[in-house]
Amino acid sequence: MELGKLLFRIADFKGRYVKEAEKDIILAVKEMDKLVKSGSFTHSYPFCCRSDTPLIDRAVSSWFVAVEKLKDHLPENSRRTYWVSDFVKEKCFHSWLENASDWAFVGSVEELEKLSGTEVKDLHRHKIDHITIPSKKHGVLRRVDDVFDCWFESGSAPHAYLHYPFENVQLFENNFPGHFVARGLDQTLGWFYTLMILSNSFFAEDGKKMRKILNNYPPPMEVINDYGADALRLYIVNFIVLQAETLRFKKEGVYGVVKDVFLPWYNAYRFLVQNKK
């Protein structure tokens, strides 16, 4: 499948965009009397955050981190951490670890070979830096320096920022693992997961997610300028977000903190100061 289009292996639909061919494929399977069930239901679906187009799953050859070899150690080490809330730790993260599979952390070697016309036997930089890909639109494409799965880099952060184990060995060993990490619930199976994997492998308003591309949240500085940083802090601290539950952020909620907490407190303070002896 190239650019979402079906290849020659599916001759009847070759060259068609997979989403456009779905109904015809279902009809063809039905005519072959091999259709088990067909229907529609509403569900979430991943879209590219840059092009806002639907992502398509495709099985390809890749390189993997052998996570399944670590599965016996992952839940055990995770239980040594303290989570807020316990539900996320026990029902979400541990369930994920117990069923963890090998992690594909680089792109397709097969696709690189096909696009460049060059056989790839070694992915080390000095073996692939010379490879180029012809492009009608952009001329000759060359490898962007130091591209890697960003989650691999994120998971390496506790070690990489001190250049461990090449430097600062004692400093790292005195401070690893970290004492506290504060992130959103969506990082449970993202950053928290890669931190756990790499630590073990190396060293034993609309209800949607707030996103820049959707522009579905007020600018933080606008909220701070209107109501103050303390009101914003108290709004966040006092809500279910700190129990790892979803919070639908509303600017009006920050105003509610000012109205119901800060103004009464300030008025009481002024009354006390003005009437003290």
Side-chain angles (χ1 to χ4, degrees):
M1 189 160 54
E2 300 291 341
L3 300 176
K5 295 182 179 180
L6 297 166
L7 299 180
F8 65 90
R9 297 184 185 90
I10 309 177
D12 293 341
F13 306 101
K14 176 184 175 182
R16 294 184 60 183
Y17 179 58
V18 63
K19 292 295 182 182
E20 295 175 352
E22 282 180 343
K23 292 183 179 180
D24 291 336
I25 293 174
I26 293 173
L27 181 60
V29 174
K30 183 177 181 179
E31 291 176 349
M32 296 167 61
D33 198 27
K34 294 184 178 181
L35 182 64
V36 177
K37 185 177 181 180
S38 176
S40 300
F41 61 96
T42 302
H43 63 95
S44 60
Y45 192 89
F47 275 67
C48 174
C49 61
R50 294 178 176 83
S51 64
D52 200 33
T53 54
L55 299 180
I56 301 169
D57 288 327
R58 178 190 175 197
V60 297
S61 300
S62 184
W63 294 77
F64 291 82
V65 176
V67 174
E68 294 184 13
K69 294 181 179 180
L70 310 171
K71 287 177 67 172
D72 292 340
H73 304 290
L74 296 177
E76 174 187 345
N77 288 333
S78 178
R79 288 190 177 92
R80 296 164 61 186
T81 62
Y82 176 75
W83 286 71
V84 178
S85 67
D86 287 338
F87 174 83
V88 177
K89 176 181 180 179
E90 298 296 338
K91 302 299 182 181
C92 184
F93 195 60
H94 280 183
S95 296
W96 181 269
L97 293 179
E98 290 170 353
N99 296 282
S101 58
D102 290 343
W103 169 20
F105 67 99
V106 296
S108 168
V109 176
E110 177 186 2
E111 188 170 10
L112 175 60
E113 291 180 336
K114 184 174 182 179
L115 292 174
S116 65
T118 303
E119 184 179 9
V120 178
K121 294 183 177 180
D122 188 338
L123 286 179
H124 287 89
R125 288 187 57 175
H126 65 287
K127 295 290 187 179
I128 63 172
D129 274 358
H130 67 283
I131 296 177
T132 59
I133 298 174
S135 169
K136 294 180 180 179
K137 185 176 181 180
H138 301 289
V140 178
L141 304 181
R142 303 181 186 278
R143 187 184 67 81
V144 177
D145 289 342
D146 304 318
V147 172
F148 208 46
D149 185 340
C150 63
W151 287 113
F152 195 99
E153 295 175 349
S154 299
S156 304
H159 326 102
Y161 90 102
L162 288 175
H163 202 214
Y164 179 88
F166 307 103
E167 295 181 81
N168 305 306
V169 174
Q170 194 62 49
L171 177 61
F172 173 83
E173 293 179 351
N174 288 343
N175 292 278
F176 181 83
H179 295 158
F180 179 72
V181 178
R183 290 291 291 174
L185 181 61
D186 58 330
Q187 296 302 320
T188 304
L189 306 182
W191 189 36
F192 294 162
Y193 177 67
T194 59
L195 285 171
M196 177 65 68
I197 293 298
L198 295 183
S199 294
N200 278 267
S201 59
F202 289 161
F203 313 101
E205 183 162 3
D206 49 13
K208 297 179 180 178
K209 181 179 178 180
M210 293 192 293
R211 295 172 59 193
K212 291 180 181 179
I213 194 172
L214 296 178
N215 195 29
N216 61 345
Y217 62 91
M221 291 310 301
E222 176 184 307
V223 177
I224 292 173
N225 290 335
D226 288 349
Y227 303 121
D230 288 334
L232 177 59
R233 290 191 188 101
L234 188 57
Y235 173 72
I236 295 174
V237 166
N238 199 41
F239 280 85
I240 57 175
V241 67
L242 290 188
Q243 280 75 51
E245 300 290 341
T246 300
L247 167 66
R248 293 192 178 188
F249 185 89
K250 294 183 179 180
K251 187 176 178 181
E252 293 79 5
V254 184
Y255 169 70
V257 171
V258 175
K259 177 173 65 72
D260 298 331
V261 179
F262 281 99
L263 287 181
W265 173 84
Y266 179 67
N267 289 333
Y269 171 76
R270 286 187 60 190
F271 178 81
L272 177 64
V273 171
Q274 291 172 356
N275 291 278
K276 70 176 182 178
K277 293 183 179 180

